[in-house]
Structure formats: C-alpha cells, structure tokens
Amino acid sequence: MAVMKVGAAGIETISGAMKRPKKKDGHNHGNYLVAVHREAASTNPNCQRVYSFDADRYKRSTVPQAKELAARARFSSVAASVKARSKDLMQQATDIADFLAQKDTAGGKKTMKAYLWKVCGDAYDAALAGA
C-alpha cells in the first residue's frame, strides 16, 4: 500500500506500491507501480519518482535454505501458540500477573502481545533444544 500526503492543492507526495499485479489462473496480470519520495536533504528539486516493474520482479530465484525454513517453522508455531494462549481463559490470569510483574524491569516487554511472543518463543526454543 502506498502512503499519500494530501495538501490543500491535492496530492503532495506518494510513497510505496501504488499498483500490484493480480494473480489469476496461475499467472500474473499487470505490473508493479512503485512511487518513491526522497526526504533526504538535497539540492535536486526532483524528490518524487515513479517506477514500473514487471510482474515477476520479486519472484524468488533461489531455494530457501534450511535456516530460513527453520525460522519460518518457528514463526508459524509461535504465532499459533500466542493466538491459542491469548484466548485461553484458564491461563489469562497468570499471564496478566506475570506480565505486570516483568513490565517495569530492565528488558521487560511493554505490551501483552510482546510478552506472549517471548514466553511462547522461549517455550518453543526449550522444546526444540530438549528434543
């Protein structure tokens, strides 16, 4: 999604993907249209650029490595654990108490979701190390 800044005279800046190709029947139709707004100081008055790329521009050219596949598996598993744990009414009271106890400590997580990601991530890592 593109981010657009609108002023009194209309669109001032656009930054991001304005158009993406649609995937239909196993192949892509259209192309990417990307706008870039430069905010760095410069003497060049042209700070807005628009680029068009082919639909396969961001197609992966290499096979995912084992490390990346392991990171994907960890993310999927921890995300499912966080979702289940946040809805578990039996666990909520202890989670809230533990979250509040660690919140103001050094290195403590400031949001409940971040705390649950840490707890579930640590549990996943411990289970993987123990196996």
Side-chain angles (χ1 to χ4, degrees):
M1 295 293 291
V3 176
M4 178 173 42
K5 183 177 176 187
V6 180
I11 298 172
E12 292 181 8
T13 62
I14 298 177
S15 184
M18 298 188 305
K19 179 180 172 261
R20 291 188 174 112
K22 291 186 178 180
K23 193 166 196 169
K24 188 173 182 181
D25 298 329
H27 61 281
N28 292 332
H29 294 274
N31 57 7
Y32 287 94
L33 191 60
V34 179
V36 178
H37 177 248
R38 185 190 71 238
E39 294 181 4
S42 174
T43 57
N44 187 343
N46 301 322
C47 62
Q48 188 75 30
R49 306 268 171 99
V50 177
Y51 300 97
S52 179
F53 302 117
D54 290 334
D56 64 349
R57 166 76 177 216
Y58 299 106
K59 190 174 183 180
R60 187 176 189 125
S61 62
T62 59
V63 177
Q65 297 177 355
K67 185 176 180 181
E68 182 179 348
L69 293 174
R72 287 182 187 180
R74 181 184 189 276
F75 181 87
S76 298
S77 179
V78 172
S81 296
V82 167
K83 185 176 181 180
R85 188 166 178 154
S86 65
K87 293 181 180 181
D88 183 9
L89 297 176
M90 301 298 284
Q91 189 72 34
Q92 270 186 354
T94 56
D95 282 343
I96 290 171
D98 293 343
F99 165 70
L100 292 174
Q102 63 85 45
K103 181 178 169 185
D104 295 325
T105 62
K109 299 299 178 186
K110 302 300 179 195
T111 65
M112 186 68 172
K113 186 165 271 202
Y115 172 73
L116 289 177
W117 271 89
K118 181 184 181 326
V119 169
C120 293
D122 291 347
Y124 178 87
D125 294 340
L128 198 65

